[in-house]
Amino acid sequence: MASDLLPPGAPVAPETAGDTTPGRRGRRPDRLREPWAVRWLLRVVTVGYVFFLVAWPTSLVFRNAFADGSQAVVDALSDESVRLALQLTAEITVWSVLINLVFGVTIAMLLVRYRFPGKRLLSALIDVPLSVSPVVVGLSLLLVYNGRDGLFGRTLENIGIQIIFSAPGMVMATTFVALPLVIREVVPVLQEIGDEQEQAARSLGANAPQTFRRITLPAIKWAVVYGVVLSLARSLGEFGAVKIVSGNIVNQSQTATLVVEQKYQNFEQTSAYVVAALLAAAAMVCLVVVALLRPKETS
Amino acid sequence: MTWFSLLVLIPLAAVVLTASTNGWDGFWTTVSSSQTASALRLTVLEAIGVTVLNVVMGTALAWVLVRDRFWGKRVLDVVIDVPFALPTIVAGLVLLSLYGDQSPLGIDVANTRIAVFLALAFVTLPFVVRTVQPVLESLERDVEEAAASLGASRATTFRRIILPSLAPAITAGAALSFARAISEYGSLVLLSGNLPNRTEVASVRVLSYIENGNEAAAASVAAILLVVALLVIVLLDLIQRRVARRGE
């Protein structure tokens, strides 16, 4: 009877009386386990679902990228428009991650350490970029910053700054969508560590920058790194918002994700798959880094 | 604060303002035009369907990840996050390579409503799993044991003890995946074909209004999406407060 309840592949232990007590290697007592059939059904259904929805399709992209041999990959990557797009994506990502790092930590400090009217509202609004459509993000920036009839766009255009259809707009769109990631990681850690150590440092004569650098920053270090990796992944992959504000001009304002779309629609499938595989690989690296960081954070 | 206003608040307010430039009538005419109305209907219906699927599959996945032990569980845990990390346009391409015209399975659903559903299911997969998982991990086993010792079957224990304590987390995950499904754009571009009245969703509608230079109409549809997003945030805030109060 007990052998039915063991996980697959586990050696069947010789049955002894009362071996279903909870103390034995954390095995749950019989009455707290699901019937054998239910557990297998759950396993098969969930693993199958994830396999067919995520794992298999994702692996196919890598296979398709290398389907025409490695020369095709090199050719695709040395294509002028692909090269420029990758470069542009890298630049935009670096800028938006830096901006989100600085403002993210600042806003997190503001939210946790200070009281001010509208704090709860700000805290709720921080999440807006996560749930609003990238297309809406793009439109909203377009309405305010376009040079023709935008609220700020016209003034900025007059002093020679173009935002929409150029790099600043794309950085803004990317920053917008990745905005909450650093904040959401740092806020809980700040709440947890409390401000006793900071107060102690202050009372011993440290000024605000010193306290931040020597006390606060080391404590939130891993949360910041984690937030940065998440915004990196998000920034690399932004598509909808950037498509609207960039104007999608080949060799000029086209990012890697936009190149994937354009190449695919022009029936240059290998190029599309190669760039997609590159983006997917970058995303995977971010995932692995995050998975490796997690244990460190708890220790 | 100024930075946040310039980047987020003022632009979003501009969407609502632009939506109202032609008054209530202009807004209503746009939204009820047949192509837009059917895009909105499709978006909402698909989002509801995907959310229901996620509630079931997400809870099952969280359960398997927390309570079960089997070979390859760690891999499953990581793979679930892939849709979070993958750029949306790549997600579309990924699904197209298995369920498009060159499908090794011989299943070609590209440019159909099933493709829309598939794309939405892909991008929203992690939400329910990741909200339910930590709650399930922190559940005290004593209560289940007590229920079982009082003669409750496993199914009864699940329904009467476990499910009620998971309910806030499931609701939160469902709200997140609904919001994401409503607003999805990138993964649908290549996969759904964006056929008017058939596979065109609200986000795509916004984009084509922008491309036609009709900003007021684009803003009208965008405002609806924005309101849904805000409602979800309010709902999540309420759930969080209720759970926090119960914990005290």
Side-chain angles (χ1 to χ4, degrees), chain A residues 164-179:
Chain A
I164 299 300
F165 303 138
S166 75
M170 297 160 80
V171 172
M172 282 178 84
T174 311
T175 311
F176 190 135
V177 295
L179 176 94

Side-chain angles (χ1 to χ4, degrees), chain A residues 241-259:
Chain A
V242 168
K243 185 176 178 180
I244 292 174
V245 297
S246 73
N248 204 358
I249 308 158
V250 180
N251 292 355
Q252 195 187 320
S253 66
Q254 208 171 36
T255 60
T257 47
L258 294 171
V259 153

Side-chain angles (χ1 to χ4, degrees), chain A residues 163-235:
Chain A
I163 296 212
I164 299 300
F165 303 138
S166 75
M170 297 160 80
V171 172
M172 282 178 84
T174 311
T175 311
F176 190 135
V177 295
L179 176 94
L181 298 171
V182 171
I183 302 173
R184 283 285 158 250
E185 289 303 320
V186 174
V187 162
V189 179
L190 275 179
Q191 271 164 349
E192 201 178 297
I193 60 173
D195 61 352
E196 282 127 14
Q197 290 193 344
E198 285 166 22
Q199 278 174 1
R202 285 287 159 76
S203 71
L204 291 171
N207 59 28
Q210 269 178 329
T211 316
F212 179 74
R213 196 162 44 84
R214 311 270 296 258
I215 307 290
T216 318
L217 202 55
I220 60 172
K221 187 172 60 182
W222 287 115
V224 171
V225 173
Y226 190 61
V228 164
V229 175
L230 287 178
S231 11
L232 191 72
R234 187 76 177 84
S235 307

Side-chain angles (χ1 to χ4, degrees), chain B residues 6-248:
Chain B
L6 282 176
L7 186 67
V8 180
L9 298 183
I10 296 175
L12 289 180
V15 169
V16 179
L17 272 180
T18 314
S20 60
T21 42
N22 294 345
W24 183 250
D25 287 339
F27 174 81
W28 191 246
T29 318
T30 307
V31 173
S32 58
S33 79
S34 81
Q35 196 181 345
T36 307
S38 78
L40 282 170
R41 203 175 315 123
L42 176 73
T43 312
V44 171
L45 286 178
E46 295 257 1
I48 291 173
V50 160
T51 305
V52 170
L53 177 73
N54 273 324
V55 164
V56 177
M57 291 309 296
T59 311
L61 270 165
W63 178 269
V64 165
L65 285 175
V66 175
R67 292 294 173 89
D68 206 349
R69 279 193 293 179
F70 56 94
W71 185 86
K73 200 179 94 170
R74 284 279 304 164
V75 180
L76 183 68
D77 203 8
V78 175
V79 169
I80 285 176
D81 272 337
V82 166
F84 263 160
L86 222 53
T88 48
I89 184 84
V90 179
L93 199 61
V94 155
L95 288 171
L96 202 56
S97 59
L98 186 59
Y99 300 107
D101 53 357
Q102 288 160 13
S103 164
L105 283 174
I107 302 171
D108 182 5
V109 295
N111 308 338
T112 66
R113 289 184 169 178
I114 301 171
V116 178
F117 190 79
L118 206 60
L120 297 183
F122 183 94
V123 296
T124 56
L125 169 72
F127 288 107
V128 175
V129 183
R130 292 297 180 232
T131 45
V132 172
Q133 202 177 3
V135 179
L136 196 56
E137 263 161 12
S138 67
L139 276 192
E140 296 285 344
R141 305 303 292 276
D142 302 1
V143 196
E144 287 171 50
E145 197 144 353
S149 70
L150 291 171
S153 72
R154 205 51 200 145
T156 313
T157 314
F158 182 77
R159 195 163 47 83
R160 305 279 294 267
I161 308 288
I162 303 175
L163 211 51
S165 28
L166 292 184
I170 295 177
T171 318
L176 284 171
S177 68
F178 182 75
R180 180 67 205 266
I182 286 277
S183 60
E184 184 51 24
Y185 171 69
S187 61
L188 296 167
V189 173
L190 296 179
L191 194 61
S192 77
N194 306 326
L195 308 170
N197 294 325
R198 274 191 47 75
T199 61
E200 199 181 42
V201 296
S203 302
V204 176
R205 207 64 212 114
V206 175
L207 201 82
S208 52
Y209 274 134
I210 295 174
E211 279 165 354
N212 298 335
N214 192 350
E215 283 177 352
S220 302
V221 183
I224 297 179
L225 295 178
L226 187 61
V227 167
V228 173
L230 288 175
L231 284 178
V232 166
I233 289 172
V234 170
L235 178 70
L236 288 176
D237 197 54
L238 288 178
I239 294 173
Q240 219 164 21
R241 259 148 217 285
R242 238 182 99 188
V243 172
R245 217 173 9 208
R246 205 190 289 173
E248 271 162 16

